[in-house]
Amino acid sequence: MELSNSAWLKGGTLLAGADRGGAAEAGPTQLNLLGPLEILVSGVTMSPGGAKPQILFAYLCLNVNRHVSVSNLIEATWGERPPSSARKNLQLYVSRLRGQFRRATDVHLITTSDGYQLSAESDQVDLERCQRLWRLGKERLHHGASKEAGRLLREAIQLWRGKPLSGLTKTLFMQGEAAKLEQFRLGLLMNYFQAQLANGQHFEIIPELLAAVADHPHQERLRADLMLALWRSGQRDAALATYREAYQLLADELGISPGRQLHALHQAVLADDTEGLWSDASRRG
């Protein structure tokens, strides 16, 4: 049975976003991966169905405007030991997705020689927007425009709504994709903190740095940024405590000592090396 214009077609589910009796708000389709999978068609939040159709669609979104082979789609959706019916089920899911996107004139699921391609504008995918902002932010940072860099990088960070591909990492293939996104986010955070330290936002970023260190406890560069932000905010004892905590954690869990940058920063804090702790060199790793 075909659903109304305010709902999914061919088995999809209307979740929220529009009056069932009226027209949905016009606007480009939005495909969001930086958190739980979120699809907005004309302002209506929609779902492609169960777990496997969601995984299939998420993987197509990860590769928007690129050919994706049937074999990769099957491995992403079913793992290394797919059932004999996987190819047939894949074709069924694709058929349903096409029906569901009948209203989305700006998104197309195209059949290629041995697979499929999701066609959409790059700005319709939050990951693509985030990567573009990250590249622009890094470029501005490289040219010394730290305030503009900080603004662009913060805008990129704000696109994240939680764990990437949340709930869709049932196969090793998708776990690997989620891990890549986590590494991308870590690099984004590091560039953001670099820009904000250059902007003199030392005290303001301490809560964000504490959260980042909690998420990535073995990442020494984040510890160094936190130490620097604390020291520049007049919290010398807290900066030294951050080093001691890192030293103990690395020794207990990894059997290693802090690297050269973190060690040098610790020595500078101990000596209250004002010139060194305020220079750009204190952040290079």
Side-chain angles (χ1 to χ4, degrees):
M1 180 181 72
E2 185 171 286
L3 302 178
S4 69
N5 284 340
S6 62
W8 273 114
L9 301 170
K10 289 190 177 181
T13 305
L14 173 68
L15 297 180
D19 185 340
R20 292 175 186 270
E25 180 185 351
T29 301
Q30 296 295 324
L31 310 171
N32 299 328
L33 299 166
L34 303 179
L37 178 64
E38 181 182 64
I39 307 165
L40 298 171
V41 180
S42 298
V44 181
T45 303
M46 300 181 176
S47 167
K52 286 183 170 53
Q54 288 186 52
I55 293 170
L56 165 65
F57 189 72
Y59 190 64
L60 288 167
C61 289
L62 284 169
N63 295 279
V64 67
N65 296 321
R66 294 190 294 271
H67 161 80
V68 183
S69 69
V70 167
S71 60
N72 278 355
L73 285 169
I74 287 175
E75 187 175 352
T77 306
W78 283 276
E80 297 179 349
R81 294 185 177 181
S84 58
S85 61
R87 183 176 287 264
K88 182 177 179 180
N89 287 338
L90 182 68
Q91 292 171 345
L92 176 63
Y93 296 156
V94 168
S95 177
R96 287 180 175 173
L97 283 169
R98 283 175 170 153
Q100 292 162 356
F101 274 93
R102 194 179 303 160
R103 289 173 53 235
T105 58
D106 52 355
V107 174
H108 305 280
L109 188 46
I110 303 166
T111 300
T112 59
S113 58
D114 179 36
Y116 301 94
Q117 176 178 312
L118 185 68
S119 175
E121 294 295 326
S122 60
D123 271 3
Q124 292 176 254
V125 183
D126 62 351
L127 175 59
E128 297 285 319
R129 297 198 305 277
C130 188
Q131 290 174 329
R132 177 176 58 80
L133 288 166
W134 177 55
R135 288 192 295 269
L136 289 172
K138 285 201 302 180
E139 179 184 348
R140 300 312 298 151
L141 192 58
H142 177 72
H143 288 94
S146 58
K147 287 188 178 179
E148 178 67 7
R151 184 190 66 79
L152 290 165
L153 295 166
R154 173 168 281 283
E155 188 177 341
I157 289 168
Q158 289 173 339
L159 291 172
W160 291 74
R161 298 170 293 110
K163 290 284 185 182
L165 306 176
S166 178
L168 303 180
T169 55
K170 300 182 184 300
T171 63
L172 288 175
F173 200 97
M174 292 301 284
Q175 289 168 19
E177 294 298 321
K180 292 176 189 176
L181 292 177
E182 288 285 6
Q183 284 301 117
F184 164 58
R185 183 172 184 270
L186 176 59
L188 172 61
L189 284 170
M190 288 178 173
N191 290 139
Y192 168 70
F193 293 136
Q194 181 181 357
Q196 294 301 76
L197 285 169
N199 290 335
Q201 301 294 304
H202 317 120
F203 180 77
E204 290 80 0
I205 63 169
I206 288 173
E208 294 171 296
L209 276 165
L210 287 168
V213 167
D215 288 340
H216 305 278
H218 301 131
Q219 179 50 247
E220 292 189 40
R221 178 167 164 182
L222 291 176
R223 298 268 185 181
D225 285 350
L226 178 57
M227 287 178 64
L228 201 57
L230 288 166
W231 186 89
R232 289 179 177 180
S233 301
Q235 301 180 58
R236 180 177 182 273
D237 289 346
L240 292 171
T242 296
Y243 179 83
R244 290 194 298 270
E245 181 184 285
Y247 187 97
Q248 193 66 50
L249 184 76
L250 293 172
D252 291 348
E253 297 189 4
L254 302 180
I256 61 174
S257 298
R260 182 185 304 173
Q261 182 195 13
L262 199 59
H263 177 73
L265 189 57
H266 178 237
Q267 294 301 309
V269 172
L270 281 173
D272 277 325
D273 179 5
T274 303
E275 182 178 354
L277 288 166
W278 281 101
S279 72
D280 290 340
S282 64
R283 294 208 63 265
R284 292 179 192 147

